[in-house]
Amino acid sequence: MTKVALAGQPNCGKSTIFNMLSGVNQHVANYPGVTVDKKSTTIKFQGERFEIVDLPGTYSFSTYSMEEKVAKTFLLDEDTDVIVNVVDASSLRRNLYLTFQLLELGKPMVLVLNMMDVAQRRELEIDVDKLAEMLNIRIVETVGTKKNGKREVLEAISMASREIITEPFKIDYREFESHIANIEKMIDFESTISRRWLAIKALEADRVILDKAGINKETIKDITSSIHAQYDLDVDQTFARLRYDSADLVYHKCVTEKNQNADTLTSKLDRIILNKWLAFPILGMVVYLIYQLSIVWGYKLTNYTWPLLATLKNWVIATLPTAEFIDVPLITDFGIWMTNSAIALLNYVPIFFILFALIAVLEDVGYMPRMAFILDRVFRKFGLHGQSTLPLILGGALVGGCAVPGVMATKGIADERARLATILTVPYMNCLAKVPFYTLLLGAFFKEDMALMMFFVSTVTLFIALIVARLLTSTLLSNLETAPFIMELPPYHLPMLKSVLLRAFQRVWLYIKKVMTIVLAVAVVLFALLQYPGISAEKMVEFSQQTDQALSAFDKKVQKTEYYPLIDERFEVSQLVNLYDSYKARRMLTKTKSAVASLDEAYLTENPKLFPLVRPQDKDAKKINKAIRKLSRVNKKLQIEMKNEKITNSFLGMFGRALEPLTQYAGFDWRVNIAFLSSFAARESAVATLGSIYEKGRSNLSPEESIAQDGAYTQIHAVSMLLFMILTPPCIATMVVVKLQSNSYKWMLFAIFFPITMGIILSTLFFSLALQFNWSGIEMMASFYLSAVLLTLILALIKTKQSGWQVGKSQ
């Protein structure tokens, strides 16, 4: 099989060419040890098999970004047969910088001139034959968006795979040539890569090459120092200048610009989009649009997906062993728990799909790097990066994001320090799953001031993220590599629907596959911690007596009906209760009259004797139906009480009580501790747990009313809980993604325990201050908010050493 590496600069249409060649036959994974996407496909063409690997987009083979390291390491370690270099024909001069470095590898290569239609619109005439002659390479013209050139590319790969390169392409590096030749002799390992290329990279002090070649770094340092002393030349800058000069020479010999002074559409748009007065308002509109389309509209889509998931849940429950009143089989409890854990995550797939599709659109259009350019000056003051913008937005810079796609979006940040700082700060944003908890407490204690409190909650998290980022990059992350902010502002392009949908699908599938499996494994552990050691024998006797009393009352009410022979045994009554509950659950998901009729017919066919008691027509059936409704309510009430008892006595409940000596100073009791502990599986669990604990069987009271009337908590207790929820990390799914993106369990543990520690300390501090100064809840929250704003401003004024940055525009 012929192994083909697809390489090119960002925004050259490389992904479009890969999609054109592969169709849907793609395999997406990660490169070993890193989080960069690895896309590959196997193609059959004229009796040959090609394995095509899509390398990450990279401007050069420097070691600034993870993508560049991955692309270079792949070409070094994998025995690549052919390199396909995709270039943007409308920006040929810029793209040739990478092309020269690929040619120097000494591998058979095909140059794909993509976006030829754009070049023609810009009135650029490319002498392809002259270019092929100067570079001594096969060239194929393509328009990937229209699928033009697929066969020609595959034919060129086939011919190139049979070539043997005897004399690799060379750029004359002048004063450095003798040193390159000397370093070639030092290389002591065999490689199919040109030794000259290895020597050049070694002279550039490339650590990957130095390690593989076994060359001492001090030796290279001595050589570069002598070069600088003799010629007053810097190696990196001189090599870059010579490559750009060579690219300029080739460009002018092969390209004719018919309308050199034409004002392009890109330059016209940039005068508006990057205008110092309009850039931020436009950015705000884009951010709002992202939220409106993905969060608001995407959440509305869950109204349609949730009934499907609920139907799936009902189907799963129907296949599990049925309960006999309060005697619920363990396997049934477990099945329901695992199903709820899965569908809670699957329900947000529409939101994730829209988010990922919008990311792909922004990438294709060319606005993503401009977004980074606009915000970079602000974020750099806190150790972040312009490319941190989108992850923070997706994570919930405003209320309603999700930390999972936010953390996943950090993989494009070239600066390692800023990338890790962004990974560790995205979880402070307000993910969608936190909103029910905020709503619960604000509805219980701040009904008159919900808008003001929600403003505090929704905006303070960004200040917290900036503070944490500055502290981390100044301390724990200070020794990590930084990269110059070299940012290309590519021409604007229309996105391709197929490409956008394909990338969105791939990213969603990665989310489901990588996160769901681990989350469900955690759900198993949580289930065990909440189930055991279980309810005491004495309590079980009490619950059984209440069940017997309810059954006895039911029996007295229905004894004189004509249907009594059908329900005169305990197991028959249990069947009727289960049938009633099952039908009621499915009936709530059925909207139309015809659907209800079909549902009734299905239930009647399956349960011809008992179903007439669920949908009664005569007097006796209605009497039994009234009694069964009451019995169902009593049964659910007892099951809730049993669940509360189980939670209280569970290992997790014991842990909650064990934490009280520490958390009591923040105003938390064991019930709040349990809610927060359960919420680390999914933030919504905090509401579910508190609601379950406070459920007393009084259906006329909402959870907010139950908590407010309980009297255990005040407004400052509620604010303390809000502060802890704001400061602590979101669900375990996010922590798993933090591990995947940082490739480190150490940082995953840090991302869990540092926020928890900070949350406990600050909740305790402000709760104590509120008690000391007799603050109201509003005053307590306002004090915390102003403290965060003030600290952010102070840190912004303190200067730190920043990495350099450059911005370049495409032609």
Side-chain angles (χ1 to χ4, degrees):
M1 183 169 2
T2 302
K3 181 170 286 188
V4 182
L6 198 66
Q9 293 189 354
N11 306 300
C12 68
K14 181 170 59 65
S15 294
T16 305
I17 295 296
F18 179 76
N19 292 335
M20 178 182 76
L21 296 175
S22 64
V24 296
N25 182 30
Q26 299 180 16
H27 175 69
V28 182
N30 281 339
Y31 286 93
V34 296
T35 60
V36 177
D37 283 347
K38 178 183 181 181
K39 292 194 288 185
S40 62
T41 185
T42 301
I43 299 171
K44 292 182 180 179
F45 179 73
Q46 295 182 348
E48 296 182 80
R49 286 169 59 86
F50 303 141
E51 180 192 359
I52 301 178
V53 178
D54 184 14
L55 297 182
T58 173
Y59 290 108
S60 69
F61 280 131
S62 303
T63 56
Y64 289 135
S65 73
M66 185 179 295
E67 284 78 5
E68 291 166 344
K69 293 177 184 176
V70 166
K72 180 172 52 187
T73 303
F74 180 86
L75 291 172
L76 280 171
D77 294 343
E78 301 290 333
D79 191 15
T80 306
D81 298 303
V82 179
I83 297 172
V84 175
N85 176 210
V86 181
V87 304
D88 178 358
S90 65
S91 301
L92 183 60
R93 179 162 35 197
R94 168 175 59 86
N95 280 249
L96 284 174
Y97 187 82
L98 176 64
T99 301
F100 290 154
Q101 294 180 73
L102 291 170
L103 285 168
E104 287 177 324
L105 288 165
K107 290 279 189 178
M109 187 165 140
V110 175
L111 186 69
V112 174
L113 281 179
N114 192 33
M115 302 187 190
M116 287 298 295
D117 54 337
V118 178
Q120 289 168 3
R121 285 200 301 270
R122 295 184 180 182
E123 299 188 49
L124 300 176
E125 285 189 359
I126 302 175
D127 189 337
V128 178
D129 293 335
K130 181 69 173 177
L131 182 61
E133 179 186 345
M134 292 189 72
L135 300 182
N136 190 24
I137 189 176
R138 280 188 177 80
I139 298 179
V140 180
E141 300 175 67
T142 65
V143 180
T145 55
K146 298 178 181 178
K147 298 185 179 180
N148 293 345
K150 176 178 179 178
R151 182 179 183 84
E152 290 79 0
V153 171
L154 293 174
E155 286 176 346
I157 293 172
S158 176
M159 288 186 285
S161 66
R162 293 188 285 272
E163 288 181 349
I164 298 176
I165 304 298
T166 55
E167 190 170 337
F169 175 88
K170 288 184 180 180
I171 289 178
D172 184 3
Y173 292 109
R174 301 175 187 175
E175 296 91 345
F176 297 89
E177 287 296 338
S178 60
H179 299 287
I180 292 172
N182 290 333
I183 295 174
E184 281 190 61
K185 299 173 184 176
M186 300 180 191
I187 298 172
D188 62 356
F189 79 103
E190 292 298 323
S191 174
T192 57
I193 300 293
S194 164
R195 294 175 73 84
R196 174 181 169 81
W197 184 87
L198 296 172
I200 291 169
K201 299 310 296 178
L203 189 55
E204 290 178 323
D206 188 302
R207 283 180 288 183
V208 174
I209 303 301
L210 291 177
D211 291 341
K212 285 187 175 293
I215 299 175
N216 192 294
K217 296 176 185 177
E218 294 300 320
T219 302
I220 297 299
K221 188 176 180 181
D222 291 340
I223 294 173
T224 54
S225 297
S226 66
I227 291 172
H228 193 274
Q230 185 175 359
Y231 302 110
D232 193 25
L233 294 174
D234 178 79
V235 173
D236 289 344
Q237 291 180 4
T238 304
F239 279 12
R241 177 175 54 80
L242 290 171
R243 288 170 186 148
Y244 278 121
D245 288 346
S246 300
D248 195 59
L249 175 66
V250 171
Y251 180 82
H252 281 102
K253 285 185 176 293
C254 301
V255 180
T256 302
E257 299 178 4
K258 286 188 173 182
N259 195 359
Q260 297 184 32
N261 299 320
D263 202 4
T264 65
L265 177 62
T266 292
S267 60
K268 291 177 183 177
L269 290 174
D270 275 344
R271 281 199 291 272
I272 300 171
I273 291 172
L274 299 182
N275 180 278
K276 65 178 181 179
W277 302 111
L278 298 176
F280 279 97
I282 291 173
L283 176 61
M285 291 171 59
V286 171
V287 171
Y288 174 79
L289 188 62
I290 290 174
Y291 268 107
Q292 186 67 27
L293 293 176
S294 61
I295 304 301
V296 178
W297 290 6
Y299 196 70
K300 288 180 179 179
L301 284 179
T302 62
N303 293 331
Y304 299 96
T305 58
W306 178 251
L308 300 176
L309 294 172
T311 300
L312 174 63
K313 175 184 174 181
N314 290 334
W315 177 82
V316 171
I317 292 174
T319 63
L320 295 170
T322 56
E324 186 176 331
F325 298 108
I326 61 172
D327 297 325
V328 182
L330 183 62
I331 187 64
T332 301
D333 251 353
F334 179 71
I336 294 173
W337 172 270
M338 295 301 292
T339 303
N340 286 336
S341 299
I343 64 175
L345 291 170
L346 290 174
N347 192 46
Y348 293 111
V349 165
I351 295 175
F352 293 157
F353 187 86
I354 296 173
L355 278 172
F356 290 139
L358 290 175
I359 294 172
V361 169
L362 291 177
E363 290 171 344
D364 285 357
V365 168
Y367 187 72
M368 193 78 76
R370 288 167 172 85
M371 183 187 294
F373 167 67
I374 293 166
L375 287 174
D376 181 67
R377 289 184 180 273
V378 176
F379 281 170
R380 279 191 302 133
K381 294 179 181 294
F382 298 92
L384 295 174
H385 194 284
Q387 290 172 303
S388 303
T389 307
L390 187 66
L392 292 173
I393 290 172
L394 296 179
L398 302 174
V399 172
C402 179
V404 171
V407 174
M408 290 175 70
T410 61
K411 65 172 59 184
I413 301 176
D415 188 305
E416 184 63 15
R417 181 193 299 173
R419 190 179 76 86
L420 194 50
T422 309
I423 288 172
L424 296 174
T425 51
V426 165
Y428 291 99
M429 299 296 99
N430 287 309
C431 70
L432 192 65
K434 289 183 179 182
V435 176
F437 186 81
Y438 297 152
T439 305
L440 178 71
L441 292 181
L442 296 182
F445 297 99
F446 298 97
K447 282 187 177 180
E448 302 300 322
D449 300 294
M450 283 189 73
L452 177 61
M453 289 293 290
M454 206 62 197
F455 169 79
F456 285 146
V457 170
S458 63
T459 56
V460 76
T461 50
L462 186 57
F463 295 111
I464 293 168
L466 294 176
I467 293 168
V468 172
R470 179 62 180 273
L471 294 176
L472 289 177
T473 53
S474 301
T475 54
L476 297 179
L477 305 180
S478 60
N479 293 325
L480 290 181
E481 287 185 14
T482 58
F485 188 19
I486 301 172
M487 184 170 53
E488 183 72 31
L489 299 185
Y492 291 103
H493 296 291
L494 287 175
M496 293 300 297
L497 180 62
K498 180 180 178 181
S499 176
V500 167
L501 295 178
L502 186 61
R503 276 182 285 166
F505 172 79
Q506 289 170 344
R507 289 168 177 171
V508 168
W509 177 244
L510 279 176
Y511 161 76
I512 294 173
K513 187 169 62 174
K514 290 186 176 180
V515 177
M516 287 284 292
T517 50
I518 302 174
V519 169
L520 292 182
V522 173
V524 174
V525 176
L526 283 174
F527 178 80
L529 292 175
L530 286 169
Q531 286 292 123
Y532 297 101
I535 303 173
S536 66
E538 293 80 5
K539 271 289 182 183
M540 280 304 301
V541 170
E542 183 180 325
F543 287 127
S544 295
Q545 289 174 347
Q546 292 182 55
T547 301
D548 291 341
Q549 290 173 3
L551 285 170
S552 178
F554 172 81
D555 191 70
K556 288 180 181 178
K557 289 181 180 180
V558 302
Q559 271 183 352
K560 296 181 180 180
T561 64
E562 63 175 291
Y563 299 102
Y564 183 67
L566 297 175
I567 50 173
D568 59 351
E569 298 288 342
R570 183 186 177 104
F571 79 92
E572 292 172 337
V573 179
S574 174
Q575 284 182 321
L576 181 58
V577 170
N578 291 336
L579 180 64
Y580 172 80
D581 290 339
S582 172
Y583 175 78
K584 185 178 178 182
R586 293 188 62 178
R587 176 64 179 80
M588 291 178 66
L589 298 172
T590 309
K591 305 298 182 183
T592 64
K593 289 184 178 180
S594 60
V596 171
S598 298
L599 180 68
D600 290 351
E601 185 178 350
Y603 266 80
L604 183 61
T605 302
E606 189 174 347
N607 304 276
K609 294 182 178 180
L610 293 180
F611 185 67
L613 305 180
V614 175
R615 292 280 281 174
Q617 300 297 324
D618 57 71
K619 183 178 179 181
D620 280 358
K622 289 180 180 179
K623 186 175 184 180
I624 294 175
N625 182 266
K626 183 178 180 180
I628 206 66
R629 289 203 305 269
K630 182 177 181 180
L631 182 60
S632 174
R633 288 195 298 269
V634 172
N635 186 51
K636 288 178 181 177
K637 174 178 174 293
L638 290 176
Q639 287 188 358
I640 289 172
E641 290 177 358
M642 288 178 64
K643 183 169 69 174
N644 292 341
E645 182 71 17
K646 193 179 292 183
I647 291 172
T648 303
N649 296 323
S650 68
F651 291 130
L652 202 60
M654 294 176 193
F655 192 27
R657 280 194 165 82
L659 290 174
E660 273 191 337
L662 172 65
T663 62
Q664 62 179 327
Y665 300 106
F668 304 161
D669 60 14
W670 70 272
R671 295 174 294 185
V672 176
N673 292 343
I674 288 177
F676 280 130
L677 287 170
S678 66
S679 74
F680 288 117
R683 278 308 189 194
E684 301 91 337
S685 299
V687 175
T689 304
L690 283 176
S692 176
I693 290 173
Y694 278 95
E695 177 61 48
K696 306 297 183 184
R698 295 174 293 177
S699 58
N700 59 316
L701 289 180
S702 67
E704 291 90 347
E705 292 170 328
S706 296
I707 292 174
Q709 293 182 16
D710 184 75
Y713 310 125
T714 64
Q715 280 194 350
I716 62 172
H717 287 88
V719 172
S720 185
M721 287 184 245
L722 286 171
L723 294 185
F724 187 78
M725 179 64 82
I726 288 169
L727 291 164
T728 52
C731 62
I732 192 65
T734 300
M735 294 301 101
V736 170
V737 178
V738 167
K739 191 276 169 188
L740 294 172
Q741 294 301 108
S742 66
N743 197 33
S744 168
Y745 284 105
K746 177 185 73 173
W747 287 120
M748 184 188 76
L749 293 174
F750 178 85
I752 294 173
F753 292 107
F754 175 74
I756 291 174
T757 303
M758 185 169 65
I760 286 290
I761 291 173
L762 291 178
S763 295
T764 300
L765 173 63
F766 281 89
F767 184 75
S768 301
L769 289 172
L771 289 176
Q772 179 69 30
F773 296 105
N774 198 28
W775 286 343
S776 67
I778 294 286
E779 291 171 330
M780 180 179 170
M781 177 59 85
S783 299
F784 175 78
Y785 188 88
L786 292 175
S787 300
V789 173
L790 183 61
L791 182 55
T792 304
L793 294 175
I794 292 172
L795 291 176
L797 294 174
I798 300 175
K799 293 184 178 180
T800 58
K801 184 179 179 181
Q802 299 290 346
S803 58
W805 63 286
Q806 300 174 17
V807 179
K809 283 194 177 184
S810 298
Q811 301 169 340

